[in-house]
Amino acid sequence: ASGTLSGANARKYHGYLVVAAHPPVQRYVVLSRVEDRVIVGSGVEGVGGGGGGVYDLSTDEFADIIHPQGYKSLISFEMGHGPVWRFQVSDAVIEKSITLVHGRDAVVVRYVLISCKGGLPVKLQLQPMLAGRDFHATIQLHQRPWWTLMPAAEGTIGVQAPECPVKLFFTHNAERFNINACWWYNFTFRTERQRGYPDREDLWTPGMLEYALTPGVPVGFIASTKPVAWAEHERLIAAT
């Protein structure tokens, strides 16, 4: 996994999970990034006791705009078992971490509500964004993989595409998963543009995971080429 502090991918090699289809060669960017959003209170600022609203944690760069701009809510960054961000949105402080699992094609993406001074309910929405391409390439138009959802056990989302030699599974502890499979267009890789290489990317999402946050209780998902139960996430992080 690699990326930038802001969360916006600046190179085609950036991604949360990059796997070797035939180790150590044929590397594929599978999970490119995550769109993450926090809803505090009713989601409407000033309604339900004040301090509420909808806040993006993610940062995306397109050809003519950077939107959303979650980096503006970033209050700290450090390296633990992997990168750890802390955001403050309204009265809520939320920690996000990414941990690559040793010895497996798997990554743990975890969020923890550290505090919420106003006592308002806090919800989290996550949309995994998939590429499914050789890590030297980019995806647009006719090059898009034909991603589809696979039957999977409860608490697991499975996806596959004939153009991608590996399947991807998400195990999670979300309250619900809302299927809304679609493509997002024209993400821009700033560094590739500066170097004169193709700099645009389209990404696919299977839908949205929704969580209700409780202070100190981790939520999130494990993305892997073989299902790994979310209940294992703390042990996997500790062993990394």
Side-chain angles (χ1 to χ4, degrees), residues 77-239:
F77 175 84
E78 63 182 29
M79 290 297 295
H81 292 284
V84 181
W85 296 261
R86 278 200 179 188
F87 299 87
Q88 181 164 359
V89 292
S90 182
D91 291 327
V93 175
I94 296 168
E95 182 177 279
K96 172 184 178 179
S97 63
I98 300 173
T99 306
L100 282 175
V101 178
H102 180 69
R104 303 193 191 192
D105 288 326
V107 61
V108 180
V109 182
R110 187 170 78 158
Y111 299 77
V112 180
L113 177 62
I114 303 302
S115 64
C116 187
K117 295 179 181 178
L120 295 173
V122 181
K123 296 182 179 180
L124 176 69
Q125 297 177 337
L126 303 180
Q127 290 176 271
M129 308 299 293
L130 279 64
R133 58 166 172 81
D134 185 280
F135 79 156
H136 291 301
T138 56
I139 292 176
Q140 281 201 299
L141 299 175
H142 62 281
Q143 301 167 326
R144 297 177 192 138
W146 190 260
W147 286 107
T148 56
L149 287 156
M150 299 184 294
E154 185 176 356
T156 303
I157 303 162
V159 295
Q160 62 182 350
E163 299 84 354
C164 182
V166 296
K167 299 176 181 178
L168 190 63
F169 298 89
F170 299 91
T171 55
H172 60 84
N173 64 339
E175 288 191 331
R176 63 182 59 86
F177 170 60
N178 297 317
I179 297 175
N180 184 21
C182 62
W183 284 93
W184 289 33
Y185 306 118
N186 291 321
F187 293 89
T188 298
F189 300 124
R190 174 178 299 197
T191 303
E192 303 301 338
R193 180 175 67 241
Q194 294 170 347
R195 293 164 62 90
Y197 293 120
D199 65 342
R200 304 295 173 88
E201 175 94 306
D202 298 341
L203 299 174
W204 182 84
T205 179
M208 181 181 292
L209 293 157
E210 297 187 355
Y211 307 79
L213 301 186
T214 301
V217 179
V219 303
F221 63 80
I222 301 174
S224 57
T225 55
K226 296 180 180 179
V228 181
W230 169 257
E232 294 288 307
H233 81 274
E234 290 187 348
R235 182 186 65 80
L236 294 173
I237 291 174

Side-chain angles (χ1 to χ4, degrees), residues 1-5 7-18 29 31-33 79 83 85 98 100 107 135 189:
S2 62
T4 66
L5 190 151
N9 288 343
R11 299 214 62 189
K12 58 192 174 188
Y13 305 105
H14 289 166
Y16 283 27
L17 186 61
V18 180
V29 178
L31 177 60
S32 175
R33 53 177 294 107
M79 290 297 295
W85 296 261
I98 300 173
L100 282 175
V107 61
F135 79 156
F189 300 124

